[in-house]
Every structure is written in structure tokens, then in C-alpha cells.
Amino acid sequence: TRASYVGGRAVLAGGLAALGWLATLVVPLLVLDPEGAGGPATLRALSAGSSVGLALGAVLLVVLVARTWGWPALRLPWRPLTAALVGSCTAAAGGRAVSAWLWGRGIGRTLGSSLAVGAGVGLLALAVMVGVALVVDPSLMQRVRWSRTRSVAEEVTS
């Protein structure tokens, strides 16, 4: 949406986003049986509406960005994307394994210990994700440094 705002298509971008959100409301109304809608059926209908509506909005906005900025603007940066995907999957698997191991030893069964385990496993997963991402794409760190240097320079000149 923001890219389309910059491209001078704010009203159209807002309308397309609103159309996606409207679909999240309409789909459940079409899917649900007003006579027999219960908890699980309602939850499934709301989930389907959210999925359909947000996917529709995303597709419409992607097409708008492509028409405004050109299809090359949608080209994916494969190295950072691969780094993030591999890092995230590795971190998720590692975090799941650590939490299961702790659970098997009786750690994390109370509210306080489960919060501590969740925070610890989350930090471990974050460290693993960043580490793996940097191994897969070492240029990530250079780009972060460049971005910080550039934003500091922009603040100084403002």
C-alpha cells in the first residue's frame, strides 16, 4: 500500500486494501448457516474469511505495485530470502526440540517456568536464526551497517 501511495495511487491502493478487508467480512456471511452456526463452524468461517480476504487484498496490491513501478520491482532478493527461511526453519526446529526436552524433564509445567522457558527458547531461536542467516548470506551485516550509517548521515544533514 505504501509503495502505491508514493507512486501517486493512494486512493486506488486504499480502495484495494479495503476490498480485501470487505471480503474478510462477506465470506463468513456467505459461508455460515444462520440456523446452525456453532462455535467451531463460526471459527472456521471467520478463518476462511480472513484468509480469502487478506489474500485477495495482497494479490490486488501486488498487481497495483507491478503496474505502478513495473514487474521488476517485485523481484525477490533470493540470498536474504533464503537466509531468512533457512534460519527461521532451523530456529523453529531447534526451539521445538529444546522446549520438548525441557518439558520431558518437568521444566515448564508451571506458569512462571513456562514463561521463563518460552523467553529462553525464543532468545535461543532468535540467535540461531540470525547466526544461520549470516552464514547463508554474510552480506546481510554489511547492508545493516550501510543502512545505519546512511540513516545517521541523513539525520546529521537534516
Side-chain angles (χ1 to χ4, degrees):
T1 308
R2 289 182 184 103
S4 296
Y5 292 164
V6 172
R9 317 276 307 257
V11 172
L12 183 56
L16 293 176
L19 186 62
W21 283 106
L22 181 63
T24 66
L25 298 171
V26 171
V27 168
L29 295 175
L30 296 175
V31 173
L32 278 175
D33 176 15
E35 300 298 322
T42 302
L43 186 58
R44 281 192 291 277
L46 291 171
S47 299
S50 293
S51 298
V52 168
L54 295 178
L56 173 67
V59 168
L60 292 172
L61 289 169
V62 163
V63 170
L64 179 60
V65 166
R67 293 190 73 204
T68 302
W69 297 94
W71 287 101
L74 298 174
R75 191 175 54 238
L76 294 173
W78 290 108
R79 278 182 36 197
L81 185 65
T82 302
L85 185 61
V86 170
S88 297
C89 290
T90 305
R96 176 76 175 126
V98 169
S99 63
W101 182 81
L102 290 171
W103 182 265
R105 279 149 187 76
I107 301 169
R109 295 180 188 244
T110 65
L111 179 60
S113 66
S114 66
L115 286 172
V117 167
V121 169
L123 289 172
L124 175 65
L126 177 64
V128 168
M129 184 189 81
V130 170
V132 170
L134 288 173
V135 167
V136 172
D137 186 5
S139 71
L140 288 173
M141 199 58 165
Q142 294 168 342
R143 284 186 293 218
V144 168
R145 282 191 198 124
W146 179 80
S147 174
R148 288 176 126 191
T149 305
R150 187 171 141 205
S151 60
V152 168
E154 288 172 355
E155 287 179 19
V156 170
T157 58
S158 306

